[in-house]
Amino acid sequence: MTEMADFTEELTDGGWVIRFSGRLTLARIGNLHKRLDALDGPPVVIDMAGVERVDTVGAWIVHRLEQDHGATVINASEDAKRLITLVTRSDRQVQMRPEPINPVLRVLNEIGEAVTEAGATLVGLLSFFGSILVAIGSTIRHPSRFRVQAVIQRLDLVGIRALGIVGLMSFLIGIVIAQQGAVQLAQFGAESLTVNLIGRITTRELGVLMTAIMVAGRSGSAFAAQLGTMKLTEEIDAMRTIGVSPIEALVLPRLLASVFMMPLLGFFATLISIIGGGLFCWLSLEMPPVIYVRRLQEVIPITDVWVGLVKAPVFGLIIAMTGCYQGMQVKGNAEEVGLKTTAAVVQAIFLVIVLDAFFAVFFTKIGWT
Amino acid sequence: MIDLQDPIAIRVRGIVNRFGSQTVHDGVDLDVRNGEILGVVGGSGTGKSVLLRSIIGLKQPEAGEVTVFGESMIGKEEDEAQDIRRRWGVLFQGGALFSTLTVAENIQVPLREYYPDLDQTLLDEIAAYKVVMAGLPPEAGPKYPSELSGGMKKRAGLARALALDPMLLFLDEPTAGLDPIGADAFDRLTKSLQQTLGLTVFLITHDLDTLYAICDRVAVLADHQVIACGTIPELLATGHPWIEEYFNGPRGRAATATVDRNRQLGA
């Protein structure tokens, strides 16, 4: 076992002498640093004769002692001398921590930044919408630039491949609504109204809304990540220099795919929720499927279906737009891609829910209740 | 048993690495001598970084043996490897700084990990002189990696690699992406630290200037093996076509000319 770094103090005629021994290395330094703060007297001579090995940490400690007390180092090995010279050269006032900021100021600062950022995002989204409209215009004028292949690929990714997960989610939600509704309605002896609950809530609201949330999480985030990565690798800049508009080539296919697929997915989700709810009614409330379907026809006005389906493409537009917009905002490093992807999903879901509230009020006002 | 005086610091024998059906290494042998700067060169995709990763234990090779200071690195348990790990520092290509920590905190991470008893004052002092030693300006301490330029990130990465006063330093393309002035300064820094700290350096590079300026020996990776290892004149004497082309191509000649000119100026 090698020896820990240690020292002894001795008062000689010339003043205090410190004699180091053992290994003055990081691994063996122990609490030497603290013990040196509690010296009996200021050392004049530092004797390194008993030192086996030194590394920069040991050299640093010797250097500090030398500097603080104006002591002289004796009997240092060549290695030790070299290292002490190195750390002496490296001894400069280095700032360790960021400047402390007043917490009140910091909070105010953060609020201010959040507000300006929210404003900037809103303006940015609007101008992005503008450039999308321009791109649509130029695509209509030059139909040959329309990228059919890209759109079909996105339709597959956004729509077809989402069927499984959207279906499963909707099925479970249908069952949950039926089960929870039945328990509450049973208290009024109105269990049969469970059908109204399931039918209307899924067609008007939940089918499309839950699908929008799923698509935002699945495709909105993917759009942001894809475009963000392409921005980082300068693919988008390369496109621009070649003369291809990234909005036409990248954003439009994604936008079209999600605008077109959202109503279909939403309708599919509604149907599956109703089937899920029906299964619960059949098994638990002993309502045969035939009766369930007939009751559905009676209680769901056709306007409910329109309420759901009108909203869907708008939600699709919002999701694709925030996803692509945030992706295009990526600059600098890979961390940005993660941040912008998160922002894309959060903003998409937020905007979808805000719009949904407006739609709810609007449809009620025009009498589609 | 770790033998720090072992004349061969790293011994690589018969390393085989495959990714799927693609063979990267097929029987790589390499010795890194204690106290030297060994440059590793090879075309893109010849597995220079994979070799580095095999030595430091980030990738288990399919076959072969790696010993560092006489200690086998293959199939080591995590806690057994600790003892050898704290004797090396690694500078990854992009610096690989922890993005949520400041430069000073980055340097302190290995210190805290291996020596949790060190007090904060000493930690701060150590981080401070390492910052200056790696050639960073004193105000770089509280900065986050995202606020640093490419060259400063490499220096901060070097400071972190040197945090534990290692015996061995692994550098993965340290001058890639630096301007010639920055690259030259980094080379000098590597050389002077290697001399003062008595380091053994394993250096992967594409930079011919670096090879000429600071490497004691150069190992050439090609055809899934180390085809030659030695000083540059020794390598040229082998007459291998790839080596010829590498060192005698237009860039190689330019680097030789620079070195010759510098020698004459110095003489």
Side-chain angles (χ1 to χ4, degrees):
Chain A
M1 187 65 207
T2 38
E3 268 183 71
M4 290 298 283
D6 203 356
F7 68 92
T8 54
E9 281 180 281
E10 190 186 336
L11 187 58
T12 62
D13 299 338
W16 287 94
V17 174
I18 286 196
R19 292 183 212 285
F20 281 108
S21 61
R23 289 190 168 186
L24 285 186
T25 59
L26 184 56
R28 314 266 173 230
I29 214 83
N31 58 355
L32 192 73
H33 189 251
K34 270 196 200 128
R35 280 164 52 211
L36 282 171
D37 283 341
L39 284 177
D40 293 336
V44 177
V45 173
I46 302 165
D47 186 355
M48 294 185 69
V51 174
E52 286 174 46
R53 257 185 61 201
V54 191
D55 66 2
T56 63
V57 178
W60 173 260
I61 284 176
V62 174
H63 159 69
R64 285 307 302 265
L65 214 56
E66 191 186 359
Q67 205 191 31
D68 291 353
H69 305 285
T72 17
V73 180
I74 57 164
N75 294 330
S77 63
E78 282 305 309
D79 278 351
K81 275 186 203 153
R82 219 177 44 228
L83 289 177
I84 292 172
T85 323
L86 174 70
V87 293
T88 311
R89 241 187 303 134
S90 308
D91 185 8
R92 286 168 67 186
Q93 197 61 45
V94 173
Q95 201 189 338
M96 276 290 113
R97 283 167 194 81
E99 299 284 342
I101 308 165
N102 183 337
V104 179
L105 272 183
R106 204 184 59 213
V107 171
L108 282 177
N109 201 2
E110 274 170 16
I111 294 173
E113 267 173 21
V115 170
T116 46
E117 205 185 295
T121 308
L122 216 61
V123 173
L125 270 175
L126 268 179
S127 70
F128 191 64
F129 186 58
S131 46
I132 288 173
L133 290 183
V134 171
I136 292 176
S138 79
T139 314
I140 291 172
R141 266 184 287 123
H142 311 279
S144 60
R145 297 223 301 251
F146 184 67
R147 289 167 168 76
V148 184
Q149 199 59 43
V151 177
I152 291 172
Q153 198 191 354
R154 294 298 144 196
L155 284 175
D156 175 45
L157 287 173
V158 175
I160 316 293
R161 280 163 205 263
L163 284 176
I165 186 73
V166 168
L168 182 64
M169 173 190 74
S170 307
F171 185 72
L172 292 175
I173 285 178
I175 293 178
V176 171
I177 294 171
Q179 193 258 339
Q180 293 294 315
V183 170
Q184 297 303 319
L185 290 168
Q187 296 177 18
F188 307 99
E191 273 167 308
S192 62
L193 288 181
T194 309
V195 184
N196 303 39
L197 183 68
I198 302 166
R200 301 210 62 184
I201 204 168
T202 50
T203 38
R204 276 185 85 94
E205 289 293 336
L206 282 186
V208 171
L209 193 61
M210 295 307 289
T211 309
I213 291 174
M214 187 54 90
V215 171
R218 229 184 132 266
S219 303
S221 61
F223 294 168
Q226 287 159 356
L227 267 61
T229 313
M230 292 173 89
K231 192 87 193 293
L232 273 192
T233 55
E234 297 178 317
E235 266 180 75
I236 290 179
D237 293 336
M239 261 183 196
R240 283 213 178 94
T241 38
I242 295 168
V244 178
S245 151
I247 306 264
E248 278 178 37
L250 301 172
V251 178
L252 274 191
R254 289 173 168 77
L255 198 86
L256 282 179
S258 78
V259 167
F260 186 70
M261 273 304 173
M262 260 305 293
L264 299 183
L265 276 177
F267 186 70
F268 168 74
T270 309
L271 273 187
I272 301 283
S273 302
I274 288 175
I275 291 175
L279 191 74
F280 177 83
C281 289
W282 186 18
L283 294 179
S284 193
L285 305 180
E286 282 156 8
M287 181 186 289
V290 184
I291 309 279
Y292 180 70
V293 172
R294 186 166 299 155
R295 292 269 293 120
L296 279 176
Q297 280 178 327
E298 286 163 14
V299 299
I300 306 178
I302 191 66
T303 50
D304 273 12
V305 179
W306 297 132
V307 167
L309 291 185
V310 164
K311 290 192 285 194
V314 182
F315 290 172
L317 177 79
I318 295 287
I319 292 165
M321 233 175 67
T322 46
C324 293
Y325 171 72
Q326 291 295 345
M328 298 289 257
Q329 299 307 302
V330 168
K331 46 182 159 299
N333 49 31
E335 207 185 339
E336 279 271 294
V337 179
L339 289 177
K340 296 297 179 196
T341 307
T342 314
V345 177
V346 172
Q347 285 170 9
I349 294 178
F350 175 74
L351 286 175
V352 159
I353 290 176
V354 169
L355 269 182
D356 190 54
F358 278 111
F359 274 121
V361 175
F362 172 76
F363 287 128
T364 314
K365 283 283 179 210
I366 64 167
W368 286 10
T369 43
Chain B
M1 189 58 206
I2 300 168
D3 177 15
L4 296 176
Q5 307 306 321
D6 194 332
I8 305 296
I10 305 171
R11 195 177 269 118
V12 175
R13 288 288 175 271
I15 286 284
V16 176
N17 270 310
R18 280 191 205 96
F19 292 104
S21 61
Q22 193 198 353
T23 305
V24 181
H25 296 143
D26 188 12
V28 169
D29 295 330
L30 183 65
D31 283 343
V32 182
R33 296 179 192 156
N34 214 333
E36 75 171 345
I37 300 186
L38 178 85
V40 177
V41 300
S44 300
T46 48
K48 300 184 293 292
S49 295
V50 178
L51 177 62
L52 168 72
R53 295 170 70 85
S54 303
I55 296 173
I56 60 180
L58 289 176
K59 184 181 186 309
Q60 284 288 337
E62 253 94 303
E65 184 61 22
V66 177
T67 57
V68 177
F69 293 124
E71 185 87 349
S72 172
M73 296 308 297
I74 307 292
K76 270 245 158 169
E77 291 294 319
E78 194 58 28
D79 50 331
E80 286 176 57
Q82 293 267 319
D83 215 28
I84 201 92
R85 257 169 219 236
R86 66 186 169 84
R87 294 177 202 276
W88 71 48
V90 185
L91 170 61
F92 290 95
Q93 252 185 60
L97 295 168
F98 303 124
S99 53
T100 51
L101 303 179
T102 64
V103 170
E105 286 166 341
N106 260 288
I107 300 172
Q108 290 172 357
V109 168
L111 291 163
R112 283 182 206 281
E113 185 62 30
Y114 286 99
Y115 307 105
D117 300 331
L118 288 182
D119 65 283
Q120 190 59 46
T121 356
L122 185 58
L123 276 176
D124 283 353
E125 285 175 17
I126 294 177
Y129 77 70
K130 302 267 171 174
V131 163
V132 182
M133 226 165 80
L136 286 167
E139 57 275 10
K143 285 198 173 138
Y144 286 92
S146 55
E147 300 169 288
L148 301 178
S149 69
M152 281 167 82
K153 272 185 201 161
K154 299 232 164 155
R155 283 170 187 272
L158 181 66
R160 188 180 68 186
L162 291 173
L164 295 172
D165 270 83
M167 309 285 297
L168 246 177
L169 189 61
F170 294 95
L171 305 175
D172 192 356
E173 301 207 18
T175 54
L178 299 187
D179 63 81
I181 302 172
D184 186 44
F186 202 95
D187 282 348
R188 281 165 207 254
L189 177 70
T190 312
K191 185 76 186 171
S192 84
L193 287 174
Q194 185 259 342
Q195 282 169 345
T196 26
L197 300 174
L199 298 169
T200 305
V201 182
F202 180 97
L203 175 111
I204 294 177
T205 189
H206 268 309
D207 193 333
L208 283 155
D209 291 317
T210 309
L211 290 175
Y212 277 106
I214 67 170
C215 291
D216 297 313
R217 291 192 310 146
V218 176
V220 182
L221 270 174
D223 309 327
H224 318 302
Q225 283 173 342
V226 173
I227 53 168
C229 184
T231 59
I232 295 174
E234 282 170 17
L235 292 184
L236 288 171
T238 60
H240 189 281
W242 192 87
I243 299 175
E244 286 275 315
E245 201 175 338
Y246 190 83
F247 288 101
N248 287 337
R251 282 157 182 273
R253 278 204 302 277
T256 326
T258 318
V259 172
D260 288 346
R261 202 168 53 237
N262 288 348
R263 285 228 177 94
Q264 276 161 15
L265 289 176

